[in-house]
Amino acid sequence: MKQLDLGKDKISKLFINYSIPAVISMVVISLYIIVDGIFVSRGVGPDGLAAVNIALPFIQALNSVVIMICIGGGVLTAIKLGENETKEASRRFSFTVIIALVFILVTSLLSLIFLDTLVELLGADETLIHLVKEYLVIMLSCNLLFQLAPIMENFIRIDGRPSFCMIVSVIGTIVNIVLDYILIIKLNMGLTGAAVATCIGSGLSGLTMLTYFLSKKSKLRFTRPICNIKLLGKMLYNGSSEFLTEISSSIVLLIFNIVIMKKMGSLGVSAISIVLYINTLVIMVLFGISQSLQPIVSYNLGAGQVDRAKQGLKFCLITTQAIALVSMIVVFIFSEPLVNIFAKENRELIEMGVWMTRLYLTCYLFIGINITSSAFFTAVEQPLMSAAISLSRSLVLVIIGLILLPRIIGDSGIFLSNTFAEVGTFFVSLYYLKKYFNKKRDRYLSNNKKAVI
């Protein structure tokens, strides 16, 4: 696998070579999430789906902090590589990994100690409490294995080898699917089997990626970390928008679960979990493409090649939005057979799931532009702009929609709240993109005027 040159290769070539492996990796991750759901639905039933959906907000919350650390540290590392300061880049890389691992260990231990309180806060009723605890005990005990892959994957992409991540992710997913079948269906281990399969599959990928940085192929090396509090603050600041996106999604999912549990019961939570499983595939593809933008933009920003960064943004905006619109049409047409994969001919669950899906997927109208815009501003070290977009689409406008829309159009408003948020955020994204590039243009014209004088 030839190492890519982020500063010299054509932007179209870089985008294709980064986005395709990133998309395949994300599709693979989506597939093992979806396959988990299929096996859980068939091995445990609707209550199992509901229990996993109730546990997910907390797992995502922990993952959001890890993403913040790694994306923020990745931006700083990529900029140093662009400035041809490989040793300093390695020190920043090592520091980022250590901080992420310490966070995972401490929070997992504390969560296990206060597990009973945690499960109650997540909104599980009496029928689901034992299932939620069963799932979380394994996920938290093995959280270091589960989180290792996304930590390593981010930096392997920055190091110029996105295809390696793809291959390793595929292998890990195959292992997870095989273990799902053995542990859930054959050995009847229920949610314990699902959690064990997930952690082993992800852990295998993470450990394999870890060996990459111990080889001679890597520019980034484990070395004495920089250990700088100011750098940590900058790292967290740069990754804050990704944190806000993930944590906001966790909060909104928690609110959705509570609202739907009260209005529709555990069957309603099972139905929304099916919607989210279907939605996962599309969202992960869009995030995969937008993440491929980050090393291209950050590296060229460090190298002073602003035009190349802008070209990367254009490629990404067009691609993500096209995929989102096509996905909306396809999922709308095939919503019933897709829902039935999880519902096992449960007519009530199928009808509820199809209704929710067709309402929910209208948010794809502007989602590609919003996700790409947020990723771009992170890559150019404008986390406040990125955070404003992330918070708008994943929290603030969703909550406003949840408050207003059900009062106007009834229960359908619950599932149109995401669409309300994406439409509003579209205008926020346009405003910040215009503001950013106008500022760049004014600075360029000012510098040229001074040069002439």
Side-chain angles (χ1 to χ4, degrees):
M1 290 178 286
K2 185 180 177 182
Q3 195 158 13
L4 297 168
D5 190 328
L6 288 163
K8 294 180 180 179
D9 288 340
K10 288 183 178 180
I11 292 297
S12 56
K13 176 185 176 182
L14 288 174
F15 188 75
I16 291 170
N17 278 276
Y18 268 85
S19 62
I20 290 177
V23 167
I24 292 174
S25 295
M26 287 296 182
V27 167
V28 166
I29 292 170
S30 301
L31 286 176
Y32 89 64
I33 293 172
I34 292 168
V35 169
D36 270 354
I38 294 171
F39 280 118
V40 167
S41 70
R42 297 182 180 275
V44 186
D47 283 349
L49 285 176
V52 172
N53 202 53
I54 286 172
L56 278 179
F58 184 69
I59 295 171
Q60 289 177 353
L62 295 182
N63 189 51
S64 67
V65 180
V66 175
I67 288 173
M68 173 176 64
I69 294 168
C70 293
I71 293 293
V75 169
L76 299 177
T77 301
I79 288 172
K80 283 299 175 184
L81 283 177
E83 294 171 350
N84 204 29
E85 296 185 27
T86 306
K87 185 175 180 180
E88 182 63 22
S90 292
R91 294 187 68 195
R92 293 183 175 199
F93 155 65
S94 301
F95 179 61
T96 304
V97 173
I98 289 171
I99 294 296
L101 295 178
V102 169
F103 169 79
I104 293 166
L105 288 172
V106 172
T107 52
S108 299
L109 180 60
L110 290 174
S111 300
L112 286 168
I113 292 172
F114 298 103
L115 185 61
D116 289 338
T117 304
L118 174 62
V119 172
E120 289 181 15
L121 291 173
L122 290 172
D125 63 10
E126 291 182 0
T127 61
L128 298 177
I129 283 177
H130 71 286
L131 288 172
V132 177
K133 288 175 67 174
E134 177 186 346
Y135 187 73
L136 279 176
V137 164
I138 302 300
M139 291 299 297
L140 292 171
S141 299
C142 303
N143 199 25
L144 189 62
L145 273 178
F146 178 66
Q147 299 281 7
L148 189 59
I151 295 173
M152 296 295 107
E153 187 173 359
N154 181 60
F155 288 100
I156 290 175
R157 285 201 184 101
I158 290 170
D159 204 60
R161 296 188 183 271
S163 296
F164 179 75
C165 296
M166 176 191 69
I167 294 169
V168 174
S169 295
V170 169
I171 294 171
T173 299
I174 293 171
V175 170
N176 179 73
I177 292 171
V178 171
L179 288 176
D180 269 337
Y181 175 72
I182 294 171
L183 299 179
I184 300 174
I185 305 300
K186 289 297 184 181
L187 299 181
N188 198 29
M189 290 177 62
L191 292 186
T192 296
V196 169
T198 296
C199 291
I200 291 177
S202 182
L204 178 64
S205 296
L207 291 171
T208 304
M209 291 179 191
L210 179 63
T211 62
Y212 170 81
F213 293 107
L214 304 177
S215 70
K216 294 181 180 180
K217 296 178 181 178
S218 172
K219 288 186 290 185
L220 292 173
R221 314 284 294 180
F222 285 111
T223 186
R224 182 172 62 86
I226 196 166
C227 296
N228 186 310
I229 297 298
K230 185 177 179 181
L231 182 67
L232 175 61
K234 191 173 183 181
M235 182 171 71
L236 299 179
Y237 179 65
N238 280 336
S240 60
S241 67
E242 273 65 30
F243 166 75
L244 290 171
T245 299
E246 293 293 324
I247 198 67
S248 298
S249 298
S250 301
I251 294 169
V252 167
L253 179 56
L254 179 61
I255 294 171
F256 263 84
N257 286 337
I258 293 170
V259 170
I260 294 170
M261 181 70 79
K262 288 181 178 179
K263 287 182 172 288
M264 304 174 189
S266 60
L267 189 69
V269 178
S270 299
I272 192 61
S273 70
I274 293 173
V275 175
L276 296 176
Y277 276 123
I278 296 170
N279 182 61
T280 293
L281 182 60
V282 179
I283 294 298
M284 294 294 265
V285 168
L286 298 180
F287 272 115
I289 295 172
S290 66
Q291 283 183 12
S292 70
L293 181 67
Q294 186 262 314
I296 297 171
V297 170
S298 296
Y299 186 99
N300 283 286
L301 180 68
Q305 302 184 88
V306 178
D307 286 343
R308 286 173 59 82
K310 191 173 181 179
Q311 289 176 44
L313 172 63
K314 288 180 178 178
F315 269 100
C316 199
L317 282 170
I318 293 169
T319 305
T320 52
Q321 192 53 44
I323 289 172
L325 292 174
V326 170
S327 300
M328 183 179 71
I329 296 168
V330 171
V331 175
F332 189 91
I333 294 171
F334 297 103
S335 56
E336 184 165 340
L338 287 171
V339 170
N340 191 41
I341 292 172
F342 300 89
K344 290 199 307 181
E345 304 299 335
N346 183 327
R347 203 62 236 169
E348 187 180 1
L349 184 56
I350 290 171
E351 290 176 2
M352 189 179 291
V354 169
W355 171 65
M356 289 183 184
T357 300
R358 288 179 173 173
L359 291 171
Y360 192 93
L361 61 82
T362 54
C363 71
Y364 294 174
L365 285 168
F366 297 104
I367 196 171
I369 293 171
N370 294 333
I371 288 175
T372 299
S373 298
S374 179
F376 173 77
F377 286 120
T378 295
V380 297
E381 292 192 284
Q382 295 291 331
L384 290 180
M385 292 182 180
S386 182
I389 294 169
S390 297
L391 279 176
S392 295
R393 64 173 295 270
S394 58
L395 182 63
V396 177
L397 293 180
V398 177
I399 292 176
I400 293 173
L402 280 170
I403 293 170
L404 295 179
L405 296 181
R407 296 181 180 182
I408 300 170
I409 58 176
D411 289 347
S412 297
I414 298 171
F415 310 102
L416 288 172
S417 57
N418 282 76
T419 304
F420 174 82
E422 295 292 352
V423 172
T425 304
F426 170 71
F427 294 102
V428 177
S429 297
L430 288 183
Y431 170 76
Y432 280 120
L433 285 171
K434 184 177 180 180
K435 181 179 179 180
Y436 178 81
F437 285 111
N438 282 346
K439 187 177 179 180
K440 284 287 183 183
R441 182 198 61 196
D442 293 344
R443 186 178 298 172
Y444 174 79
L445 292 174
S446 177
N447 289 340
N448 280 355
K449 186 177 180 179
K450 289 178 182 179
V452 172
I453 293 171

